[in-house]
Amino acid sequence: MAAEIHSRPQSSRPVLLNKIEGHSDAVNAAVLIPKEDGVITVSEDRTIRVWLKRDSGQYWPSIYHTVSSPCSCMSYHHDSRRIFIGQDNGAIVEFLLSEDFNKMNHVKTYPAHQNRVSDMVFSLESEWVVSTGHDKSVSWMCTQSGSMLGRHYFGSWASCLQYDNDTQHAFVGDYSGQITLLKLERQTYSTITTLKGHEGSIGALWWDPVQRLLFSGASDHSVIMWDIGGRKGRTLLLQGHHERVQAVRYLQLTRQLVSCSADGGVTVWNMDTPREEAPQWLDSDSCQKCEQPFFWNVKQMWDSKTIGLRQHHCRKCGKAVCGKCSSKSTTYPVMGFEFQVRVCDTCYDTVKDEDRTALATFHEGKHNIAFMDMDPSRGLMVTCGSDRVVKVRHTISLDQSLVARYSP
């Protein structure tokens, strides 16, 4: 079932501790059980499994439960030991785990959606389960009565969700690349704003209620930090992946952001440093450096008897430039560009060697990462994906004073 790779963490890099195998289909979610050597998984093979670490160092299933439809997502509340499972048929099933994690009892089934449940959050404060689905909706249901309280529809599949318990605001990402902020009430709701910045479907969201920061990862290979609390529309673009970003997690105590992509890339971003916003790309009919026309500028091409040029943009200043005036590339981590990007010749000359110092570290997860969970107090990460393997790693070690502050 499982194999222990390392008995002790060997370095500060993510170190593989255990591999949990045995699923017959993709594992869609895996969460670490706080204060326990345990992992809960849900899979397309319709199983819910609770894995506990035995004296041998291996993880073995203490609970193996099969439901009627593939399990698409999960929300686990440790203090109450309540677990909510989203299914491919649109239903959400609630179970109560026993104290020894060897048994679970069915509590309720919620008819939340008409299609696959893509994400969900359980709020003990409001006794709501908020969920998104491929029926293009977000719904919120009362866990006491089991009744539907409200629903809002979008123009495309709703893919991921974050929820602020204190203010009852929901952040919903969708396949069009937009993030919608909703204020939820019993029986009603209001749309606050729509965040637009990604050029691909939203794959993951993470909300930090302390600093009031929202992080989003998308199929455009990028991560965006939205400063919601600043109320100034400040955004930071982070580009450090070669494939679609499918999991993000912000560690508030260490000011680090961890993001995972479909090709197994794990990037750890240092957010405790001054960063610059990437500029908006400017529109122009001709190069804003040499003034040569772009290929659609027929009038200037005719007047100057020249062939139009292809348009590019400098990632540092945002100006529209031709290839001749932007022949160089560079990294510029302070603006989130950890890989080389095109810049105009003028901006290239202003970038110093120290400006190219990386503000992120890159690691290889060695499997498709569709979902990731972390326990910062223990420095643990669990990842899972379409290869049916669950991997438990040791990650960033926290200072003991930080652990004391973090732990209940």
Side-chain angles (χ1 to χ4, degrees):
M1 284 286 186
E4 185 173 13
I5 309 303
H6 292 286
S7 60
R8 295 174 181 271
Q10 303 296 312
S11 72
S12 59
R13 299 184 308 119
V15 176
L16 183 61
L17 301 176
N18 293 87
K19 290 170 66 175
I20 301 175
E21 300 173 309
H23 293 90
S24 60
D25 209 333
V27 184
N28 290 319
V31 298
L32 294 159
I33 302 175
K35 303 178 182 179
E36 298 282 345
D37 284 328
V39 178
I40 306 173
T41 62
V42 297
S43 170
E44 287 287 332
D45 64 10
R46 300 187 294 115
T47 64
I48 306 161
R49 310 188 197 196
V50 178
W51 306 79
L52 297 181
K53 192 175 183 180
R54 306 304 183 186
D55 293 339
S56 63
Q58 297 180 336
Y59 284 88
W60 291 92
S62 62
I63 295 176
Y64 184 110
H65 184 82
T66 303
V67 292
S68 60
S69 181
C71 305
S72 54
C73 57
M74 161 177 46
S75 179
Y76 172 61
H77 188 267
H78 181 65
D79 290 341
S80 63
R81 299 191 311 280
R82 295 163 76 178
I83 183 170
F84 297 81
I85 310 298
Q87 296 182 270
D88 191 63
N89 61 10
I92 294 174
V93 186
E94 179 186 355
F95 295 93
L96 179 64
L97 293 173
S98 62
E99 290 187 20
D100 59 3
F101 298 100
N102 284 313
K103 184 180 180 182
M104 69 181 193
N105 295 314
H106 176 263
V107 179
K108 283 189 184 75
T109 298
Y110 303 85
H113 297 275
Q114 299 299 314
N115 208 325
R116 185 181 180 91
V117 183
S118 56
D119 203 356
M120 83 178 85
V121 175
F122 166 63
S123 171
L124 182 66
E125 290 81 356
S126 56
E127 281 289 347
W128 290 357
V129 57
V130 187
S131 60
T132 55
H134 286 184
D135 57 0
K136 303 181 181 180
S137 76
V138 56
S139 69
W140 51 108
M141 304 190 69
C142 176
T143 55
Q144 294 175 324
S145 65
S147 61
M148 177 73 69
L149 298 176
R151 187 190 297 275
H152 173 72
Y153 284 94
F154 302 92
S156 59
W157 284 0
S159 54
C160 50
L161 168 73
Q162 284 287 279
Y163 180 73
D164 186 89
N165 288 302
D166 294 334
T167 64
Q168 295 184 328
H169 284 95
F171 301 89
V172 182
D174 63 39
Y175 271 72
S176 73
Q178 297 183 5
I179 302 168
T180 304
L181 173 56
L182 301 169
K183 175 69 168 78
L184 306 184
E185 307 278 0
R186 294 188 72 90
Q187 311 297 331
T188 187
Y189 68 93
S190 56
T191 303
I192 306 301
T193 189
T194 301
L195 306 176
K196 300 178 181 179
H198 284 290
E199 297 179 356
S201 59
I202 310 297
L205 293 173
W206 183 263
W207 169 246
D208 174 46
V210 177
Q211 292 186 279
R212 302 191 66 76
L213 300 174
L214 179 70
F215 297 89
S216 58
S219 62
D220 59 7
H221 308 176
S222 68
V223 177
I224 295 180
M225 186 200 83
W226 311 83
D227 187 359
I228 305 298
R231 298 178 179 271
K232 295 180 180 178
R234 181 171 181 261
T235 60
L236 294 178
L237 176 66
L238 305 172
Q239 293 189 335
H241 287 281
H242 296 291
E243 256 294 348
R244 62 185 183 275
V245 181
Q246 301 189 135
V248 291
R249 175 73 179 262
Y250 180 61
L251 308 179
Q252 198 274 332
L253 294 176
T254 57
R255 303 295 194 273
Q256 290 172 300
L257 174 69
V258 182
S259 56
C260 304
S261 55
D263 60 357
V266 179
T267 303
V268 181
W269 307 85
N270 176 16
M271 303 304 294
D272 191 23
T273 185
R275 289 182 176 270
E276 299 176 13
E277 286 189 76
Q280 293 289 327
W281 286 4
L282 302 177
D283 293 325
S284 178
D285 291 330
S286 57
C287 175
Q288 294 181 303
K289 294 294 182 179
C290 68
E291 299 184 351
Q292 290 295 304
F294 294 131
F295 63 84
W296 63 82
N297 190 349
V298 178
K299 184 179 185 304
Q300 188 178 346
M301 283 192 295
W302 177 264
D303 293 342
S304 60
K305 301 297 188 290
T306 58
I307 297 176
L309 304 176
R310 182 182 175 188
Q311 177 183 260
H312 302 280
H313 282 92
C314 172
R315 290 341 189 245
K316 189 174 185 294
C317 69
K319 289 184 177 180
V321 290
C322 66
K324 183 179 178 181
C325 294
S326 59
S327 59
K328 298 176 181 178
S329 299
T330 184
T331 60
Y332 196 54
V334 72
M335 202 173 277
F337 299 118
E338 294 288 341
F339 303 148
Q340 290 204 351
V341 291
R342 180 187 294 270
V343 294
C344 67
D345 295 349
T346 302
C347 285
Y348 183 84
D349 293 337
T350 66
V351 179
K352 302 175 183 178
D353 287 342
E354 54 265 32
D355 295 332
R356 297 184 175 92
T357 302
L359 296 177
T361 57
F362 305 93
H363 312 280
E364 179 53 59
K366 296 185 179 179
H367 74 149
N368 165 270
I369 299 177
F371 188 91
M372 174 261 292
D373 184 41
M374 297 186 72
D375 184 343
S377 65
R378 292 185 290 168
L380 294 178
M381 169 196 283
V382 61
T383 58
C384 61
S386 58
D387 62 352
R388 301 172 295 183
V389 176
V390 178
K391 295 186 178 183
V392 180
R393 293 182 172 86
H394 180 270
T395 57
I396 306 98
S397 297
L398 298 184
D399 183 273
Q400 288 303 308
S401 62
L402 296 179
V403 172
R405 285 170 52 195
Y406 181 88
S407 301

